[in-house]
């Protein structure tokens, strides 16, 4: 009887170790690559100072990564002759950017600590550092993600919310990832920075009725009813390069750029939350930071799963 008990104890201990190893940790690179975070921050600050829009682009990369297969850097994989990645998915094609900045960061980190820091962790840290660089809140990024060896074009097309989404579709999309409608509104506040292409808001400025008429007319000048699909406009017309709560004030004035933005304040269940964040910027920043931590915990690969890619664009 003693031997089986010992076996049981070892089995339980093994399971416990497995559970512990699967947890992300803020000090994951403390000994293996102590300068990783400062190196990432330095490159992000440099990139954002060079082009303010890049901060929003890096934040969006992390979001578009985590919503498809979890936070595993699958969004960074290039297509190959035998593999179709996520970059050409409808929500990504011609609009996600910042890959060159991630490449530069990865190269710098690899020279410090070869094969140690994952691309998925770089995306998570770069998103946080981008928000801070534009005046937003900070948060403790949990680390220890590993990189996927696969991507999913179909999941990118189905799981990422479209700029034409209705409120119910947005709530459903975020609920599928474990987020409440309050967290949906908080995360949507990321549209207080960045720009969108004419093709994403053309239908809104010509067809929607819940839009400020002068706002719509000002946008039509650079976004014709046909053509000019890549022309850009700021998601937050008030302070496009500052992470603040102006996005919510714009929604109250019917100046949301995307149809999906204005859906958050259109007589529906999220109106009260928009009002709350509009009047209380501190609560928005707190809730946004907490929601970002939660998003960074979406189905990470840990332990022996996945790999640490040497080049973020391709598997080892």
């Amino acid at each position: 009887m003693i031997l089986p008990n010992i076996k049981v104890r070892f089995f339980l201990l093994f399971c416990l170790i497995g559970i512990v190893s699967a947890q992300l940790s803020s000090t994951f690179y403390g000994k293996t690559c102590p300068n990783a975070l400062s190196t990432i921050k330095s490159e992000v600050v440099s990139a954002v100072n060079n082009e303010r829009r890049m901060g929003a682009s890096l934040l969006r990369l992390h979001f578009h990564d985590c919503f498809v297969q979890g936070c595993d850097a699958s969004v960074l994989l290039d297509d190959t002759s035998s593999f179709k990645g996520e970059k050409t998915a409808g929500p990504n094609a011609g609009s996600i950017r910042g890959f060159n900045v991630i490449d530069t960061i990865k190269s710098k980190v690899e020279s410090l600590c070869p094969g140690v820091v994952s691309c998925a962790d770089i995306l998570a840290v770069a998103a946080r550092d981008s928000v801070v660089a534009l005046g937003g809140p900070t948060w403790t990024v949990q680390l220890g993600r590993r990189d996927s060896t696969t991507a999913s074009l179909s999941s990118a097309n189905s799981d990422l919310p479209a700029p034409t989404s209705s409120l119910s579709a947005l709530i459903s999309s975020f609920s599928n990832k474990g987020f409440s409608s309050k967290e949906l509104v908080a995360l949507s506040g990321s549209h207080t920075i960045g720009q969108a292409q004419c093709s994403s808001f053309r239908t809104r400025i010509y067809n929607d009725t819940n839009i400020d008429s002068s706002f719509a007319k000002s946008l039509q000048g650079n976004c014709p009813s046909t053509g000019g699909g890549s022309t850009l406009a700021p998601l937050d017309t008030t302070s496009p390069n500052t992470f603040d709560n102006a996005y919510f004030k714009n929604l109250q004035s019917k100046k949301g750029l995307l149809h999906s933005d204005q859906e958050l304040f259109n007589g529906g269940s999220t109106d009260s939350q928009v009002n709350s964040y509009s009047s209380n910027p501190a609560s928005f920043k707190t809730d946004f930071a907490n929601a970002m931590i939660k998003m960074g915990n979406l189905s990470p690969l840990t332990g022996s799963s996945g790999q640490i890619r040497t080049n973020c664009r391709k598997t080892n």
Side-chain angles (χ1 to χ4, degrees):
M1 290 298 292
I2 295 177
L3 192 58
N5 282 340
I6 291 175
K7 284 185 177 180
V8 168
R9 287 174 187 170
F10 271 112
F11 175 74
L12 291 174
L13 181 61
F14 178 79
C15 289
L16 183 60
I17 291 171
I19 292 170
V20 172
S21 67
Q23 302 299 313
L24 302 181
S25 162
S26 62
T27 58
F28 190 80
Y29 299 114
K31 293 182 179 179
T32 56
C33 196
N35 293 322
L37 297 191
S38 60
T39 301
I40 296 170
K41 181 179 180 179
S42 177
E43 291 302 321
V44 168
V45 169
S46 176
V48 173
N49 285 342
N50 184 54
E51 183 200 4
R52 304 294 282 176
R53 181 189 173 205
M54 186 54 70
S57 298
L58 294 174
L59 173 59
R60 188 165 180 251
L61 265 185
H62 179 46
F63 167 61
H64 281 228
D65 177 35
C66 292
F67 258 55
V68 182
Q69 295 189 169
C71 307
D72 60 359
S74 61
V75 73
L76 302 177
L77 290 171
D78 284 339
D79 293 349
T80 67
S81 57
S82 59
F83 177 85
K84 192 79 168 174
E86 297 165 15
K87 292 180 178 178
T88 56
N92 291 336
S95 68
I96 52 170
R97 57 197 295 276
F99 300 109
N100 56 324
V101 176
I102 299 299
D103 289 340
T104 299
I105 293 172
K106 179 62 174 174
S107 177
K108 292 282 178 70
V109 174
E110 279 296 304
S111 66
L112 285 176
C113 324
V116 172
V117 182
S118 69
C119 301
D121 277 349
I122 288 173
L123 283 177
V125 176
R128 187 269 312 273
D129 291 346
S130 293
V131 169
V132 173
L134 294 174
T138 188
W139 59 90
T140 300
V141 178
Q142 300 298 305
L143 303 164
R145 301 168 190 80
R146 289 168 64 84
D147 302 322
S148 68
T149 55
T150 61
S152 178
L153 180 69
S154 60
S155 292
N157 278 318
S158 64
D159 293 7
L160 290 167
T164 54
S165 295
S166 64
L167 178 60
S168 61
L170 289 171
I171 290 173
S172 176
S173 176
F174 278 75
S175 176
N176 287 340
K177 303 299 177 183
F179 292 104
S180 66
S181 57
K182 180 179 180 180
E183 289 167 327
L184 154 66
V185 177
L187 289 171
S188 296
S190 62
H191 284 183
T192 185
I193 53 175
Q195 302 183 58
Q197 295 181 330
C198 165
S199 57
S200 297
F201 59 84
R202 175 185 283 126
T203 301
R204 168 154 170 74
I205 64 174
Y206 287 99
N207 297 339
D208 282 6
T209 55
N210 60 340
I211 186 169
D212 178 86
S213 57
S214 60
F215 176 63
K217 191 167 185 177
S218 69
L219 290 165
Q220 290 169 3
N222 289 320
C223 182
S225 56
T226 57
S230 60
T231 305
L232 298 170
L235 287 158
D236 169 6
T237 188
T238 306
S239 49
N241 293 318
T242 302
F243 196 99
D244 54 22
N245 70 330
Y247 167 81
F248 301 107
K249 296 179 185 295
N250 293 336
L251 297 185
Q252 291 174 318
S253 303
K254 297 185 178 180
K255 294 180 180 178
L257 182 65
L258 306 179
H259 177 84
S260 56
D261 287 326
Q262 197 59 56
E263 281 289 285
L264 300 179
F265 191 81
N266 192 38
S269 60
T270 52
D271 281 19
S272 60
Q273 195 56 54
V274 170
N275 286 333
S276 175
Y277 288 152
S278 174
S279 61
N280 192 337
S283 71
F284 160 54
K285 290 186 174 183
T286 297
D287 290 351
F288 178 82
N290 288 332
M292 285 298 295
I293 293 171
K294 183 173 177 177
M295 188 175 77
N297 287 332
L298 285 177
S299 306
L301 297 173
T302 58
S304 59
S305 300
Q307 62 182 213
I308 304 297
R309 283 188 226 136
T310 302
N311 180 334
C312 291
R313 294 175 180 263
K314 60 184 182 180
T315 58
N316 294 342

